[in-house]
Amino acid sequence: MNRATAKHLIERYFRQLTEGCGNGNCTNEFCASCRDFRPLDSNSAAAKALELFKINAKLCDYYPSFKSSADGNSLLDSTMSDKDTNDDFSDVHYLTENNICMILNFCEEEGDYSALVRVIGRVFSNAEALMKSFKKDEPNATENSCKPTDVEKQNDQTLEKMGAASAATLPDDALSDALSTCEVAVDIQAVRRVYDRLLSIDQVEASLVNALIYLTPNVELDLEYLDVYEANPDYLNIFIIVMENSNLHSPEYLEVALPQFCKAMSKLPVTALARLSKLWSMYGLPHIRRMMETFQQLITFTVVSNEYDAENLVNDDETVVAATQCLKIVFYASILAGDVDVEHNEEDEEDTDSDELTLHELLGEERLYKKGPRVDPLEKELGIRTVDSIHPVIPFEDFVNESLNDVVEMDKDFTFFKVNAETKFSFQSCPFILSVITKNQGLYYDNRIRMYSERRLTALYSMVQGQQPNPYLKLKVRRDHIIDDALVRLEMISMENPSDLKKQLFVEFEGEQGVDEGGVSKEFFQLVLEEIFNPDIGMFTYDDETKLFWFNSSSLENEAQYTLIGIVLGLAIYNNCILDVHFPMVVYRKLMGKKGTYLDLSDSHPVLYQSLKGLLEYTGNVKEDMMLTFQISHTDLFGNPVLYDLKDQGDQIPVTIENRQEFVDLYVDYILNTSVERQFRAFKKGFLMVTNESPLKYLFRPEEVELLICGSRKLDFEALEKTTEYDGGYSKDSQIIKDFWETIHSFGEEQKRFFLQFTTGTDRAPVGGLGKLKMIIAKNGSDTDRLPTSHTCFNALLLPEYSTKEKLRERLLKAITYAKGFGML
């Protein structure tokens, strides 16, 4: 606890001992408002306050409306001034829909809302009073009821239906568990009806803002140091009631009230955050989206209102950090309210940890290179992961805050994420708010630091053992035997010293002079993939309709070949290379720990998906009309039919309307999981050899992993033109450059991909699109018959200054069409 916080708490104890809390029915023996309390002089009160602080004694909530504070603080005076009349409703110590409507009717008759303003200010500024308000067991209002309009009634009914529909997407046992776990005493509909009436009155709005400003610092301290939620879980009611205010995003709240409220909410223990998330997931889309937009607006407002740099980090802005942590609650509520699958999980690979100390541990670097996947505490408490989400009610993309992504310093944020997680906040602990581009920067830093670490360890071992240091993962391969050479070398490395896979990749083609600065590795990956995905080899099957590959369940290749392709995918991510891989999304979901399910068939096996969908939707006599059994057939590598029983003696069990769902589930499980288990296990093993210590699984969703490996299929050459740099005498105004871009834009899709392959080593755009590709066009002499050349390592095109546009086009097309191999110029 810092000095300022300690001082504030001691002052609160002193005020409690000298002035009391203002509650005439107080029972706290250490409060001046208690009837049995013996008055103390100032010196005795100061000493007693210090003693109470040391033992963490009970603190009462303060009732500021009864008299002005001794320190002259007049924050609430304008909205909660004392008025000694019979109509100030001083006997109202908590709110119900009934008493609010009674006071509201009185004020409307009088034409003066000051009594309502005082009551609202007094209750909303007092944690104990607000916590007791709007209880479900309170009698409903009758003649004094806040009768909603017809439109409000219709809206309430619609929202209730939407909330029920969202909740109904959970399995029955999960739904009942959620209802019992997040059961709260607040009458949510009553709170909403009251807010609908109150927020139309300007004086009440001001009172709510000021009360929230007064309330939240004390709530924050109570949560952080007094464990009030553990003592009384109803403390959560405060946050439930305040968050129903639909005006929290307005300017009146954004500057002070909402930032303070978010800081207080971020101090809630994880069990309380989980209750909030489960409760909000029952609300329905409009309310979940409203809360999401409230926190997003606060983050954006704060970011654009301040300037951040390497010295003044956004990570140190308490408002942005607290709002991000609150947004996480809504993020998981959105997942819970949508379609989720918490059951179909792949078995995790067993991690065999050695009892011996590693060199990182000896050097005191175990925090930076610690093993094992991260687990978010809230995710663990809820028992759900991002990868379990099939369709959240709010798309994942809506949680990304572009303003924040523009100012976050990922090198610093990465350090906080890996080393100082206990003391410094990292936005990578809330990856939903970061774009794929930003997260990719964090992954890049992680990969580079591991490469640097392996080089250090290699140098250290070589000095100790007196051997030649080998700081890189070197692969020397022959073009015409690339699979055999790569397989033998990588298999030896994975068996003898798997950590060598974490070194920077360095590829050399036998008989060629090219030095690998990235371009040679790109071509190596491309050639390996072309060979392995060749249908003649039979490792994968190809669907002409979807243009996607799938594991061949009857392949004769050994597991080492599949392990190799897994290693290649892992190395591509690790070395920031883009691969021309065409897998359905279910492959990436399986790599992230989920099994294939019925919905995954839609892109991996669309014909089978439509057939099974027709079976599930069939309204006739399934048994007699379909004549199906629990025995299925498929063809092997040679086109021969293979029979498989989904259940024992499956050929004797007919498919009926009662068991057709079971048939579909077993059929899908066989096609996507069981039949390719051997091949996929080896494939995943190779992938994890490279990525097992990476934050990949924690930071990225399956569709984002595909983007990392394959790049973007969208090629925006307009964006590439804007970001291209020129060297050697060229500029964007040079005639040859104008002719060049006119020529490029006139190319067809295939020719554009050839050009990209020629210049960068891959025909895909990097994460973020071609605008993120830093291409250089350099002058390579005057007019000549020589072809353009490129340095794919540096994305550099060496372009002679051809005399005509026609010659430029002819020379460029020839270069990109017949380019293969590396040489020294």
Side-chain angles (χ1 to χ4, degrees):
M1 186 186 302
N2 58 42
R3 293 174 62 88
T5 302
K7 179 182 177 183
H8 186 78
L9 277 175
I10 294 171
E11 287 176 351
R12 284 185 63 190
Y13 281 117
F14 179 80
R15 182 187 297 175
Q16 179 174 292
L17 291 168
T18 55
E19 300 179 17
C21 65
N23 182 2
N25 298 319
C26 181
T27 58
N28 185 357
E29 59 178 319
F30 302 120
C31 177
S33 294
C34 178
R35 294 179 181 178
D36 299 328
F37 182 81
R38 293 182 179 180
L40 301 172
D41 58 46
S42 297
N43 291 335
S44 301
K48 188 65 175 179
L50 188 59
E51 180 185 332
L52 296 178
F53 168 75
K54 290 179 180 179
I55 64 173
N56 205 18
K58 179 183 177 183
L59 266 173
C60 293
D61 287 310
Y62 187 58
Y63 287 73
S65 60
F66 289 108
K67 59 179 179 179
S68 58
S69 60
D71 60 4
N73 187 345
S74 60
L75 175 66
L76 302 172
D77 288 353
S78 61
T79 55
M80 297 175 218
S81 59
D82 184 22
K83 186 178 179 182
D84 188 16
T85 70
N86 294 328
D87 299 326
D88 66 355
F89 299 99
S90 57
D91 58 335
V92 176
H93 299 301
Y94 59 89
L95 302 179
T96 66
E97 184 179 14
N98 188 31
N99 62 27
I100 282 287
C101 294
M102 179 181 65
I103 298 170
L104 191 56
N105 291 339
F106 169 80
C107 292
E108 288 173 347
E109 291 176 4
E110 294 289 319
D112 180 7
Y113 290 100
S114 57
L116 178 64
V117 166
R118 284 193 301 277
V119 172
I120 294 296
R122 182 168 69 245
V123 174
F124 270 83
S125 63
N126 184 280
E128 186 175 353
L130 191 57
M131 181 173 61
K132 294 178 179 178
S133 297
F134 303 108
K135 290 290 187 73
K136 285 181 181 178
D137 53 1
E138 292 294 333
N140 292 326
T142 52
E143 65 273 6
N144 289 324
S145 173
C146 296
K147 296 184 172 105
T149 64
D150 292 338
V151 175
E152 288 171 344
K153 286 180 180 177
Q154 187 176 0
N155 288 342
D156 278 345
Q157 292 171 358
T158 303
L159 295 178
E160 285 177 8
K161 288 177 182 176
M162 294 184 70
S166 298
T169 59
L170 291 168
D172 289 341
D173 54 345
L175 178 59
S176 60
D177 178 60
L179 286 170
S180 61
T181 304
C182 66
E183 183 67 31
V184 291
V186 178
D187 187 341
I188 303 296
Q189 295 300 329
V191 174
R192 290 173 184 170
R193 288 192 293 269
V194 167
Y195 271 125
D196 284 342
R197 295 291 302 275
L198 295 182
L199 295 179
S200 62
I201 305 170
D202 291 340
Q203 302 98 305
V204 174
E205 179 85 40
S207 177
L208 284 169
V209 173
N210 289 330
L212 197 58
I213 292 173
Y214 190 91
L215 169 75
T216 47
N218 293 335
V219 170
E220 181 182 354
L221 288 171
D222 289 346
L223 284 169
E224 190 165 9
Y225 301 112
L226 300 181
D227 300 328
V228 288
Y229 175 79
E230 287 79 358
N232 185 1
D234 280 348
Y235 206 80
L236 195 65
N237 296 357
I238 297 170
F239 299 93
I240 296 170
I241 293 170
V242 172
M243 282 305 299
E244 288 303 314
N245 185 340
S246 58
N247 279 3
L248 286 177
H249 64 281
S250 62
E252 293 83 359
Y253 292 89
L254 284 177
E255 292 195 12
V256 182
L258 187 57
Q260 288 186 179
F261 179 74
C262 288
K263 291 174 193 174
M265 186 185 291
S266 66
K267 303 298 182 184
L268 283 167
V270 68
T271 51
L273 298 178
R275 282 183 67 200
L276 265 184
S277 191
K278 290 179 180 179
L279 176 69
W280 289 348
S281 71
M282 307 289 174
Y283 281 5
L285 175 59
H287 290 287
I288 299 175
R289 179 169 287 281
R290 174 183 59 78
M291 290 186 283
M292 182 272 290
E293 291 173 349
T294 296
F295 295 129
Q296 286 281 37
Q297 191 157 342
L298 176 58
I299 294 170
T300 302
F301 173 80
T302 308
V303 168
V304 300
S305 302
N306 294 279
E307 294 185 3
Y308 304 98
D309 51 36
E311 300 300 324
N312 179 30
L313 297 173
V314 68
N315 302 68
D316 295 326
D317 191 313
E318 292 183 350
T319 297
V320 175
V321 169
T324 302
Q325 292 171 325
C326 294
L327 186 62
K328 181 191 286 189
I329 309 172
V330 186
F331 175 75
Y332 283 108
S334 171
I335 291 177
L336 287 169
D339 298 329
V340 293
D341 172 22
V342 296
E343 298 176 353
H344 300 92
N345 300 314
E346 293 273 2
E347 292 184 7
D348 290 330
E349 298 288 327
E350 292 188 6
D351 197 11
T352 54
D353 289 331
S354 171
D355 292 333
E356 297 181 8
L357 284 174
T358 65
L359 190 56
H360 289 310
E361 291 170 331
L362 291 171
L363 294 174
E365 300 175 343
E366 67 276 6
R367 286 190 302 168
L368 189 57
Y369 304 102
K370 55 190 173 186
K371 295 184 179 181
R374 284 176 170 266
V375 179
D376 185 275
L378 181 55
E379 191 174 81
K380 184 178 180 181
E381 183 70 24
L382 289 169
I384 194 168
R385 303 168 298 167
T386 303
V387 73
D388 294 330
S389 176
I390 300 172
H391 295 295
V393 292
I394 299 176
F396 289 122
E397 293 76 17
D398 290 3
F399 285 92
V400 176
N401 189 291
E402 294 297 342
S403 299
L404 174 65
N405 280 266
D406 290 340
V407 299
V408 66
E409 300 279 347
M410 282 308 292
D411 54 344
K412 303 286 197 309
D413 192 88
F414 169 78
T415 305
F416 302 155
F417 181 66
K418 297 294 289 187
V419 182
N420 301 327
E422 295 82 9
T423 56
K424 282 282 192 176
F425 177 81
S426 165
F427 288 99
Q428 291 181 81
S429 65
C430 297
F432 57 84
I433 203 170
L434 300 177
S435 66
V436 185
I437 301 170
T438 306
K439 289 188 284 189
N440 191 37
Q441 291 177 355
L443 186 66
Y444 173 82
Y445 288 122
D446 185 80
N447 295 340
R448 293 298 160 185
I449 286 178
R450 290 186 188 280
M451 291 177 184
Y452 170 72
S453 167
E454 292 301 328
R455 285 204 292 271
R456 284 181 58 208
L457 294 183
T458 299
L460 196 55
Y461 281 131
S462 63
M463 285 190 294
V464 173
Q465 298 173 359
Q467 297 177 355
Q468 184 72 19
N470 184 20
Y472 299 100
L473 171 59
K474 288 188 176 181
L475 294 179
K476 187 172 183 179
V477 296
R478 297 166 291 174
R479 281 186 179 272
D480 51 352
H481 295 85
I482 191 166
I483 293 295
D484 294 335
D485 293 350
L487 179 62
V488 169
R489 179 71 179 129
L490 290 173
E491 192 171 19
M492 288 177 59
I493 291 172
S494 61
M495 291 174 62
E496 295 176 1
N497 192 11
S499 64
D500 279 1
L501 295 173
K502 308 293 196 314
K503 295 177 180 178
Q504 185 174 349
L505 181 64
F506 189 96
V507 177
E508 179 183 351
F509 285 106
E510 193 172 282
E512 299 183 21
Q513 298 171 304
V515 177
D516 190 5
E517 293 287 346
V520 183
S521 297
K522 291 178 184 178
E523 185 167 10
F524 163 76
F525 284 128
Q526 182 188 3
L527 294 175
V528 168
L529 292 174
E530 285 179 1
E531 189 77 23
I532 276 188
F533 285 100
N534 187 336
D536 295 336
I537 293 182
M539 290 181 64
F540 296 91
T541 58
Y542 182 70
D543 190 310
D544 292 321
E545 181 183 344
T546 63
K547 311 296 184 187
L548 298 174
F549 288 93
W550 182 247
F551 297 88
N552 190 341
S553 58
S554 54
S555 172
L556 301 178
E557 297 294 334
N558 60 36
E559 294 181 11
Q561 298 273 34
Y562 288 99
T563 302
L564 170 63
I565 190 65
I567 291 175
V568 167
L569 256 66
L571 287 175
I573 291 178
Y574 198 63
N575 290 271
N576 207 29
C577 288
I578 295 171
L579 302 181
D580 186 19
V581 177
H582 302 272
F583 280 134
M585 185 57 61
V586 64
V587 171
Y588 303 101
R589 282 176 52 79
K590 285 168 72 70
L591 283 175
M592 301 294 276
K594 299 299 293 184
K595 286 186 176 181
T597 60
Y598 167 68
L599 293 176
D600 294 312
L601 280 181
S602 59
D603 66 329
S604 64
H605 300 76
V607 176
L608 177 60
Y609 172 76
Q610 291 298 331
S611 298
L612 295 178
K613 183 180 179 183
L615 170 62
L616 291 174
E617 295 175 352
Y618 189 66
T619 56
N621 191 316
V622 172
K623 180 178 179 180
E624 295 182 3
D625 296 347
M626 298 286 190
M627 298 184 67
L628 296 172
T629 67
F630 275 74
Q631 184 181 76
I632 61 173
S633 66
H634 61 95
T635 56
D636 63 11
L637 187 63
F638 305 103
N640 300 320
V642 177
L643 299 177
Y644 179 79
D645 286 344
L646 297 176
K647 298 175 73 172
D648 289 341
Q649 297 182 339
D651 59 330
Q652 305 297 319
I653 306 174
V655 177
T656 65
I657 195 169
E658 289 81 14
N659 64 14
R660 61 182 173 181
Q661 184 65 58
E662 181 188 13
F663 171 79
V664 169
D665 292 340
L666 291 173
Y667 199 153
V668 171
D669 185 58
Y670 174 74
I671 294 296
L672 297 182
N673 304 310
T674 308
S675 66
V676 296
E677 184 176 2
R678 176 180 66 87
Q679 294 87 344
F680 186 81
R681 189 192 302 116
F683 170 76
K684 186 176 181 180
K685 176 184 175 184
F687 184 76
L688 293 178
M689 281 182 182
V690 186
T691 63
N692 63 331
E693 297 176 16
S694 166
L696 181 77
K697 193 172 181 180
Y698 179 84
L699 294 177
F700 296 90
R701 304 189 307 275
E703 57 270 25
E704 294 175 328
V705 174
E706 181 191 29
L707 195 60
L708 289 179
I709 295 175
C710 305
S712 174
R713 292 185 172 89
K714 297 179 181 178
L715 301 182
D716 183 1
F717 276 82
E718 299 286 349
L720 180 62
E721 181 180 357
K722 291 178 182 177
T723 58
T724 296
E725 299 176 356
Y726 304 95
D727 196 13
Y730 283 157
S731 71
K732 66 177 182 178
D733 298 320
S734 302
Q735 186 59 46
I736 182 72
I737 296 301
K738 293 179 181 178
D739 292 342
F740 169 81
W741 284 114
E742 287 178 9
T743 302
I744 290 295
H745 293 314
S746 70
F747 282 172
E749 187 71 18
E750 185 178 13
Q751 291 172 326
K752 286 180 178 179
R753 291 193 180 278
F754 280 160
F755 168 74
L756 209 57
Q757 179 74 50
F758 173 77
T759 310
T760 68
T762 177
D763 65 353
R764 300 289 186 92
V767 174
L770 287 180
K772 296 295 179 180
L773 189 68
K774 301 299 181 185
M775 191 175 79
I776 301 172
I777 301 179
K779 186 174 181 178
N780 192 24
S782 57
D783 185 31
T784 179
D785 289 334
R786 287 187 296 126
L787 297 174
T789 54
S790 65
H791 292 307
T792 54
C793 314
F794 308 107
N795 301 327
L797 175 68
L798 305 181
L799 184 68
E801 192 172 8
Y802 297 112
S803 57
T804 66
K805 183 177 178 181
E806 291 72 23
K807 187 175 183 179
L808 166 65
R809 182 183 179 90
E810 183 268 331
R811 294 280 85 187
L812 185 59
L813 276 174
K814 183 170 284 189
I816 66 177
T817 305
Y818 300 104
K820 184 169 283 191
F822 288 82
M824 299 294 285
L825 297 176

